[in-house]
Amino acid sequence: SPILVWFRRDLRLTDHPALYAAAQTGRPVIPVFIHDDLVEGLAAAPKWRLGLGIGCFADALRDKSSQLVLRKGDALEVLQELITQTGAGSVYWSRLYDPETTARDRRVKDALKNQGVEARSFGGHLMFEPWTVETKTGGYYKVYTPFWNSVKNRAVDAPLAAPATLTTPAQWPDSDDLADWNLGAAMRRGADVVRPFVQLGEKAAQSRLGAFMAHGVAEYKANRDLPGVDGTSNLSENLSLGEISPHQCWHAGQRALHDGKKGAETFLKELVWREFAYHLMHHTPRLLDQNWREEWAGFPWNEDERCAEVKAWKQGRTGEPFVDAAMRELYVTGRMHNRGRMIVASYLTKHLMCHWRIGQKWFEDCLIDWDPASNAMGWQWAAGSGPDATPYFRVFNPATQLDKFDKNRDYTSRWIAEGRAKAHPDALAFFEAIPKHWNMSPDDDYPDRIIALDAGRLRALDAYKNRNF
Ligand code: FAD
C-alpha cells in the first residue's frame, strides 16, 4: 500500500529521514502538504515565503516524476480522506517542536494508530532531540555554554542522499491549486520588493552553503558582527522551512574546520544556538508568549502597540540610524542582520520600555526566516526576561554600536536615503515597499531622535531599580 509523506517545514529531498525511509520500502510514495489552521494562522511574511517554498518544492518533486498533493482542511480529516482514496497504509512525517504542532501531531498519530494505520514521525529538523540533552541531574539546560559543551562532541548523523527514485501510486489523488490558497494575501508590503532577496528552495540553499564555505566561513568570526559586510551564511531563511537540514550545515562546518578555516567553530556554535532555542521551547513552552523569568510579569512595560514610539520603531524613523537602518532592512528584505536584531530589540524594550512581545510580533509579521523558537529566545534574551539573557541593566547604545560595528557607515548608508544626494537603491526600495499612509519620502529630512539615548537609558534603569521583584 502507498505511504503518505506529510510535508510541513521540511521542504527538501536530501537528508530527509522520513522521505528516505518511505522510499526505501519500495512502496508508492504520495507527498502531501496540508493547509490547516496552523498554516492559516501564520503571520504575513512567513506565510508568503511558505507559499513560494511549496511551489518550488512541488517543482523539485515533479523532476523526480512525483507530485506534491495539496489539500486544505483539518490535518487528520485530510489524511483520513487520502487514506480512503489511495489505500495508504502508512503516514510518515518530520517532527516539529512548538506546542501547537506537537499537540496536533499527537492527536493525528493516536487517531491513525487506532484505525490501524502506521503513523511514524522522524527527526531532521534538529540535530539533537531536545529530550536527549540532559544535565548531570537529569534536567534541561538553561544556559547556552554548558549546553554547547554537552553536545559539541556528539556524533551528528551524516546527511542522507535524496531517494534515487520515488515509486508513484497507480493513481494520483486530486490536488488543490497552490494559487487558490493565496498564501501571500496578508503581505502588507509589496511582495515584489522582497522577492529579489529570497533564495528559494533546496538547490539555492545548497549553493548558499557552498558559497559560504568557500568564501565566508574562514573570516566568519570577525565578519559576523559587521552588518555592512555579507559575512554570514544567510541560511536561516532556508533552515526555517527545512530547505536545508542543520545536519548538512554542521557537516560542512566540520569539514571547513578540518581544512583549517578557523571561523567554522563559531559557525557550528551558532547552529547550536538554534538547537538551544528549540531545547528551551520544548522544555518551557512559555518561552513563546510569556516572560520566561516569571517575575518579569510585574515589570512596567508599555504594552500599547499603537503608541507613537512603537510606530516610529516599526517605520524606521526613530532618528537612531542603526535602529532605523535595521528596521528598514527588515521591511525590504524580510531579514535583519543579527547585530541589528539585538540593537533594535534592546532599543524597543529598554530605551522605549515597550513589551518584547510587541517586537516579537512585528518580527513574526515581517521575517521570511521566522522561526518560533529563535525569535522568542532572541526577544527574551534582549529584554532580559529570558534564560541566559543579557541583563536588563546592560543597555546597548545604538550610537556607540554604530561606531564599533558600522564604522564606515556601509550599513546605514545602504538603508537610509534621507539627506543623501545619491541614495542606495535598497534605501529607495524601502519607500516603494511602505504603505502610503506612513507618509514618508526619501526627500524628507532625516528624523530627529524620538528619545535622547541617555534619558531613555536612565528611565529604563530606574524602572529596573524600582521593580518589585
Ligand atoms: P549565521 O550567522 O550564518 O548563523 C548560521 C545559523 O545559525 C543561522 O542560520 C541560524 O539558524 C543559527 N543562528 C545564528 N544565530 C542564532 C541565534 N542568535 N539564535 C538562534 N539561532 C541562531 N533567527 C531565525 O532563524 N529566525 C528568527 O525569527 C530569529 N529572530 C531573532 C530575533 C531576535 C530579537 C534576535 C536577537 C535574533 C533572532 N534570530 C532569529 C537569530 C539570528 O539573528 C539569525 O538566526 C541570524 O541573523 C540569521 O542569519 P544567518 O543565517 O546569516 O546566520
Side-chain angles (χ1 to χ4, degrees):
S1 66
I3 302 179
L4 302 177
V5 179
W6 176 21
F7 286 89
R8 298 101 62 85
R9 300 182 81 83
D10 48 350
L11 305 179
R12 65 179 180 279
L13 296 170
T14 53
D15 198 28
H16 192 298
L19 180 65
Y20 189 86
Q24 286 288 84
T25 63
R27 290 157 56 192
V29 172
I30 304 179
V32 186
F33 190 96
I34 304 171
H35 180 329
D36 71 349
D37 285 352
L38 295 187
V39 170
E40 190 52 32
L42 288 171
K47 200 179 196 177
W48 171 73
R49 178 61 177 81
L50 173 67
L52 296 182
I54 294 171
C56 183
F57 184 57
D59 290 345
L61 280 168
R62 253 192 301 275
D63 289 346
K64 286 257 172 211
S65 309
S66 183
Q67 272 188 42
L68 185 61
V69 174
L70 306 178
R71 290 287 180 94
K72 196 166 185 174
D74 172 74
L76 176 60
E77 285 171 20
V78 168
L79 291 168
Q80 285 171 329
E81 206 175 86
L82 284 168
I83 287 164
T84 310
Q85 287 169 358
T86 64
S90 309
V91 183
Y92 292 0
W93 65 83
S94 317
R95 263 189 293 281
L96 288 171
Y97 304 85
D98 62 282
E100 281 185 321
T101 307
T102 320
R104 178 197 64 190
D105 292 354
R106 202 167 294 137
R107 181 172 65 88
V108 168
K109 199 180 235 179
D110 290 346
L112 293 179
K113 280 190 171 161
N114 280 339
Q115 69 183 76
V117 173
E118 183 200 22
R120 280 181 70 188
S121 58
F122 293 75
H125 197 64
L126 295 178
M127 296 183 284
F128 314 113
E129 297 292 0
W131 49 89
T132 66
V133 189
E134 287 188 338
T135 62
K136 287 204 180 75
T137 54
Y140 65 95
Y141 284 97
K142 303 179 182 84
V143 180
Y144 169 78
T145 303
F147 180 84
W148 159 254
N149 285 329
S150 82
V151 299
K152 67 181 179 191
N153 294 321
R154 274 204 195 183
V156 169
D157 291 340
L160 298 162
T165 52
L166 291 171
T167 307
T168 52
Q171 205 184 349
W172 283 100
D174 291 343
S175 169
D176 292 354
D177 191 339
L178 180 59
D180 293 339
W181 284 2
N182 215 352
L183 293 173
M187 273 292 266
R188 203 179 305 107
R189 60 209 210 267
D192 291 351
V193 175
V194 190
R195 185 64 185 85
F197 296 95
V198 168
Q199 292 201 20
L200 191 57
E202 184 168 7
K203 280 198 186 125
Q206 292 298 339
S207 313
R208 240 178 187 165
L209 179 64
F212 178 67
M213 288 302 150
H215 310 295
V217 77
E219 299 305 323
Y220 175 74
K221 189 168 184 209
N223 286 344
R224 67 178 290 270
D225 268 324
L226 307 174
V229 173
D230 188 14
T232 66
S233 73
N234 299 308
L235 283 163
S236 54
E237 176 188 358
N238 310 104
L239 280 164
S240 148
L241 288 179
E243 294 171 343
I244 194 165
S245 74
H247 308 67
Q248 292 170 317
C249 302
W250 177 268
H251 281 279
Q254 288 287 1
R255 281 193 298 276
L257 192 62
H258 188 256
D259 293 344
K261 295 178 175 165
K262 291 241 165 59
E265 189 181 7
T266 312
F267 177 68
L268 296 173
K269 282 185 170 164
E270 294 306 321
L271 289 173
V272 169
W273 269 105
R274 176 177 173 276
E275 304 278 325
F276 182 54
Y278 275 88
H279 181 78
L280 289 170
M281 179 175 71
H282 170 78
H283 289 286
T284 49
R286 69 174 184 279
L287 177 75
L288 294 176
D289 51 12
Q290 292 158 52
N291 294 294
W292 190 87
R293 294 178 190 277
E294 281 151 358
E295 66 275 19
W296 275 82
F299 194 72
W301 305 109
N302 175 0
E303 299 198 37
D304 175 11
E305 54 183 313
R306 290 171 190 276
C307 71
E309 285 89 355
V310 168
K311 213 161 130 191
W313 179 80
K314 287 183 179 173
Q315 298 180 348
R317 50 171 150 190
T318 64
E320 211 51 73
F322 213 151
V323 174
D324 293 341
M327 296 306 290
R328 294 178 189 197
E329 179 189 25
L330 171 67
Y331 207 75
V332 174
T333 68
R335 317 233 354 264
M336 189 194 285
H337 193 276
N338 183 58
R339 175 81 15 209
R341 295 189 209 217
M342 293 193 297
I343 287 169
V344 305
S346 169
Y347 182 81
L348 184 74
T349 55
K350 295 177 180 172
H351 285 100
L352 301 183
M353 266 187 65
C354 292
H355 202 294
W356 56 266
R357 271 200 304 261
I358 295 176
Q360 175 197 28
K361 204 166 134 211
W362 182 248
F363 268 35
E364 181 172 346
D365 208 50
C366 294
L367 282 174
I368 59 168
D369 71 2
W370 173 71
D371 179 285
S374 300
N375 193 36
M377 181 183 71
W379 274 97
Q380 296 229 43
W381 178 87
S385 58
D388 202 5
T390 178
Y392 192 81
F393 53 78
R394 234 198 98 208
V395 181
F396 277 98
N397 179 326
T400 49
Q401 290 276 315
L402 194 62
D403 288 336
K404 204 162 164 197
F405 298 107
D406 192 33
K407 222 184 241 158
N408 301 326
R409 305 296 188 262
D410 295 325
Y411 182 61
T412 36
S413 58
R414 178 176 169 199
W415 291 111
I416 295 178
E418 294 96 322
R420 282 174 218 286
K422 247 186 131 212
H424 192 287
D426 290 340
L428 294 172
F430 172 72
F431 294 92
E432 286 163 34
I434 57 176
K436 275 219 168 60
H437 71 265
W438 284 18
N439 216 0
M440 292 172 77
S441 150
D443 303 325
D444 294 343
D445 289 335
Y446 182 64
D448 293 334
R449 283 190 164 128
I450 58 168
I451 190 164
L453 289 178
D454 269 2
R457 181 171 170 275
L458 289 176
R459 183 180 63 171
L461 292 182
D462 261 1
Y464 183 70
K465 247 186 271 157
N466 299 326
R467 73 199 186 279
N468 52 9
F469 59 87

